[in-house]
Amino acid sequence: MIATESAAGCVAEAAAPAEGKYLYGIIDAPAPATFTVPGIGGRGDEVHTLAVGRLAAVVSNSPRIEYDNSRRNMMAHTRVLEEVMAQHTLLPVCFGTVAVDDDVIAEKILRERRDELTGLLEQMRGRMELGLKASWREDIVFEEVLAENPAIRKLRDSLVGRPADKTHYERIRLGELIGQALERKRREDEERILDRVRPFVHKTKLNKPIGDRMVLNGAFLVDAAHEAELDQSIRAMDAEWGARLSFKYVGPVPPYNFVAIIIHW
């Protein structure tokens, strides 16, 4: 219980949040399992499974609160998923999902959605999500645009030394032309990269690029048997195009881009 002072000056006790179950994901594990990474919340709660038949939910005890997406909480959630993924095929559940108790998880998820979740686990078995971001190196692509588009270069040069208030519309037009040229180059470079990785990828999810220099923000669902080939393909691209493109390759990561488990209690 938490002690608080009332308006009358007396000490009253406020009830602590009720206990529930924090849900990390769904796995195929009929035998009980526990994990070494502590659960979210900083209390050291044990992460364990709750099974119905072959389906199991990965859970830990937790107060029934709304978790803020602080780095500490997000990392606690992610560390659990990483340990589980190393041992099991995993269907991740969104951060911050807290159930009332074991019975609700067993009934609303493991029983009512058994066929759906079993099918998703089969789709994900032997596969992993890998992420790739590719970005232009500073200023290189702008120089390419000027070199490849004489009209843009001519307009840019014509504005040098002229006052901004007298060339307002010309500058707007220049910005539009540069933006269009950059988008064409982004699509071309994105397609060149995708052509290299498609032979080794089961599914692709393209997310919106972040910032002006990002060319590709992709997630790939990859058969484990093709991971080494995909790695080699990305290393080859880096060796070939590294002067103008930087690559950030991450994974395996929880397959959030390919599994959408929405839970309504």
Side-chain angles (χ1 to χ4, degrees):
M1 305 292 283
I2 302 171
T4 60
E5 188 171 341
S6 70
C10 299
V11 174
E13 288 188 337
E19 282 292 296
K21 290 287 185 179
Y22 187 95
L23 181 59
Y24 301 91
I26 307 297
I27 62 175
D28 183 355
T34 59
F35 302 91
T36 60
V37 175
I40 193 170
R43 305 189 311 186
D45 291 296
E46 180 183 70
V47 178
H48 59 279
T49 56
L50 166 64
V52 174
R54 294 197 59 84
L55 276 183
V58 179
V59 301
S60 66
N61 292 336
S62 165
R64 284 159 53 187
I65 61 173
E66 183 174 342
Y67 283 91
D68 63 79
N69 57 349
S70 64
R71 176 175 173 80
R72 179 183 179 185
N73 286 337
M74 296 293 288
M75 289 302 298
H77 180 91
T78 300
R79 281 193 291 268
V80 171
L81 295 183
E82 288 173 346
E83 181 177 353
V84 175
M85 283 172 52
Q87 305 170 42
H88 302 274
T89 300
L90 170 70
L91 304 180
V93 172
C94 290
F95 170 84
T97 303
V98 182
V100 172
D101 54 28
D102 289 356
D103 291 342
V104 171
I105 295 174
E107 185 60 33
K108 291 291 186 181
I109 301 175
L110 301 180
R111 290 193 178 95
E112 289 186 8
R113 301 178 66 174
R114 179 189 62 190
D115 293 344
E116 171 200 354
L117 298 174
T118 299
L120 287 171
L121 281 167
E122 285 304 313
Q123 292 177 32
M124 301 304 298
R125 199 173 307 282
R127 294 180 174 136
M128 63 188 71
E129 179 176 324
L130 301 168
L132 178 65
K133 292 180 173 64
S135 300
W136 287 310
R137 296 197 182 277
E138 197 72 37
D139 296 333
I140 286 179
V141 70
F142 181 67
E143 293 302 323
E144 290 179 359
V145 165
L146 294 178
E148 295 165 5
N149 297 271
I152 293 177
R153 177 182 286 276
K154 182 178 179 181
L155 178 56
R156 193 280 307 265
D157 291 346
S158 73
L159 297 174
V160 175
R162 297 171 61 192
D165 59 338
K166 299 293 181 60
T167 56
H168 176 70
Y169 293 107
E170 289 97 326
R171 292 177 188 276
I172 291 176
R173 179 57 179 161
L174 177 63
E176 291 173 344
L177 292 174
I178 291 174
Q180 293 165 5
L182 287 173
E183 180 58 22
R184 286 194 298 270
K185 289 187 74 66
R186 191 198 66 77
R187 289 196 299 266
E188 291 168 0
D189 283 343
E190 178 187 76
E191 191 59 30
R192 285 202 300 165
I193 294 168
L194 292 175
D195 282 345
R196 294 287 192 95
V197 303
R198 281 193 184 104
F200 317 114
V201 169
H202 179 69
K203 285 185 179 179
T204 299
K205 170 73 180 298
L206 297 179
N207 297 307
K208 185 177 180 180
I210 303 167
D212 295 333
R213 293 194 297 120
M214 185 173 287
V215 172
L216 174 76
N217 184 9
F220 306 115
L221 188 62
V222 180
D223 290 337
H226 293 309
E227 182 186 10
E229 295 168 289
L230 180 62
D231 291 350
Q232 179 57 41
S233 174
I234 292 171
R235 283 196 295 269
M237 286 190 289
D238 185 50
E240 185 176 346
W241 301 333
R244 64 187 297 274
L245 287 170
S246 64
F247 294 91
K248 182 179 181 181
Y249 181 46
V250 297
V253 296
Y256 282 113
N257 281 287
F258 302 98
V259 179
I261 300 178
I262 300 173
I263 295 175
H264 300 290
W265 303 122

